[in-house]
């Protein structure tokens, strides 16, 4: 009788452990969905200046917010000197977009500070005037850089309260990996490298839905070394 009782308690404890693990897994998946929605609703997709110019040409943008430009109290003037990284924010349809461009007072100034005009987007002179040359009716709103929380999730930039969600998701995924059974498709370290990479937006749901289901005996898995090399390539 005593032996039967001990076996029953052991099975019950194991069942509780599996249940707690599954709850943590699904809660993390919910956090991923919330983070993705937060990026779509409260974030802005990082694109290039070429994308903005294309949107201006087809008349899809009415207003651009220019942040951090080389402007004096009365706007841009020929007396302004230097190079500045300018953030351009706009709305195209239902989604917001953002791009960064270097603004220089002259090509000579751009070269003197070690920048090559062939390797990056740049604008010489007044940024607002340059954009209005493409769309004359475009409204330009000038602003200064503001401090605050900042984060990224895939191709989206998120600020304010939304910026904490990607970090919370990252911590939750790593904690889950540390406490999980051996995962499927890739080793534990392989999943860690993928989750820590810029591909978190894809790696997190892949692990939570597929990898967290547990190792299949005899099934080959992606190694940690190969996963690390993939991450290095993504960062290039």
């Amino acid at each position: 009788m005593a032996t039967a009782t001990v076996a029953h308690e052991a099975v019950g404890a194991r069942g509780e452990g599996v249940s707690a693990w599954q709850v943590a897994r699904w809660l993390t998946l919910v956090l991923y969905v919330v983070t993705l929605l937060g990026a779509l609703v409260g974030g802005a997709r990082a694109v290039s200046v070429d994308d903005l110019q294309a949107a201006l040409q087809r008349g899809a943008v009415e207003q651009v917010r220019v942040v951090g430009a080389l402007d004096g109290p009365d706007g841009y003037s020929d007396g302004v000197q230097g190079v500045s990284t300018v953030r351009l924010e706009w709305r195209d349809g239902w989604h917001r977009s953002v791009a960064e461009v270097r603004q220089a007072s002259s090509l000579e100034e751009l070269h003197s500070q070690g920048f090559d005009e062939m390797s990056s987007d740049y604008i010489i002179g007044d940024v607002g005037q340059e954009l209005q040359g493409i769309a004359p009716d475009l409204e330009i709103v000038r602003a200064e850089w503001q401090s605050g929380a900042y984060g990224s999730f895939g191709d989206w930039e998120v600020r304010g309260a939304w910026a904490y969600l990607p970090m919370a998701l990252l911590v939750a995924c790593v904690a889950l990996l540390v406490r999980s059974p051996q995962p499927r498709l890739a080793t534990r370290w392989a999943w860690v490298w993928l989750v820590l990479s810029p591909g978190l937006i894809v790696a997190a749901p892949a692990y939570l839905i597929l990898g967290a289901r547990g190792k299949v005996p005899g099934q080959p898995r992606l190694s940690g070394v190969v996963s690390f090399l993939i991450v290095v390539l993504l960062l290039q």
Side-chain angles (χ1 to χ4, degrees), residues 16-236:
E16 291 176 0
V18 171
S19 176
W21 154 248
Q22 293 297 338
V23 169
R25 173 189 171 195
W26 289 112
L27 285 177
T28 305
L29 188 58
V30 170
L31 177 59
Y32 171 82
V33 173
V34 172
T35 304
L36 181 60
L37 291 176
L40 294 175
V41 174
R45 189 168 187 183
V47 295
S48 69
V49 178
D50 291 338
D51 295 307
L52 172 57
Q53 292 174 340
L56 291 174
Q57 289 172 353
R58 59 174 195 270
V61 180
E62 297 179 354
Q63 182 189 91
V64 174
R65 190 166 183 261
V66 179
V67 183
L70 290 172
D71 294 337
D74 301 321
Y76 185 84
S77 67
D78 293 336
V80 175
Q81 297 293 320
V83 177
S84 177
T85 298
V86 179
R87 178 183 173 91
L88 305 173
E89 303 173 353
W90 70 95
R91 186 178 293 276
D92 182 357
W94 63 272
H95 67 276
R96 296 171 57 224
S97 300
V98 59
E100 288 190 351
V101 62
R102 285 192 178 93
Q103 177 194 18
S105 54
S106 65
L107 276 177
E108 291 75 14
E109 188 70 27
L110 191 71
H111 294 154
S112 69
Q113 298 200 24
F115 297 111
D116 180 5
E117 72 271 17
M118 300 300 294
S119 61
S120 62
D121 294 324
Y122 71 96
I123 290 177
I124 301 299
D126 190 342
V127 175
Q129 184 176 352
E130 180 77 14
L131 297 177
Q132 288 174 331
I134 303 174
D137 295 331
L138 180 67
E139 179 184 359
I140 300 295
V141 178
R142 303 181 188 276
E144 297 297 326
W145 289 101
Q146 296 180 349
S147 60
Y150 163 82
S152 62
F153 190 57
D155 291 334
W156 281 269
E157 292 186 0
V158 284
R159 294 178 178 270
W162 297 112
Y164 296 101
L165 288 176
M167 181 57 67
L169 176 64
L170 177 62
V171 171
C173 285
V174 171
L176 208 59
L177 271 164
V178 170
R179 303 286 295 181
S180 73
Q182 282 295 326
R184 186 175 299 192
L185 302 179
T187 64
R188 197 189 308 274
W189 270 109
W191 279 115
V192 168
W193 287 122
L194 293 173
V195 166
L196 292 176
S197 76
L200 172 65
I201 191 171
V202 175
Y207 167 68
L208 294 170
I209 296 173
L210 301 175
R213 295 171 62 188
K215 178 182 177 182
V216 176
Q219 183 184 70
R221 298 187 298 168
L222 185 71
S223 69
V225 173
V226 174
S227 177
F228 176 77
L229 293 176
I230 292 174
V231 171
V232 171
L233 290 175
L234 289 175
L235 292 174
Q236 296 302 313

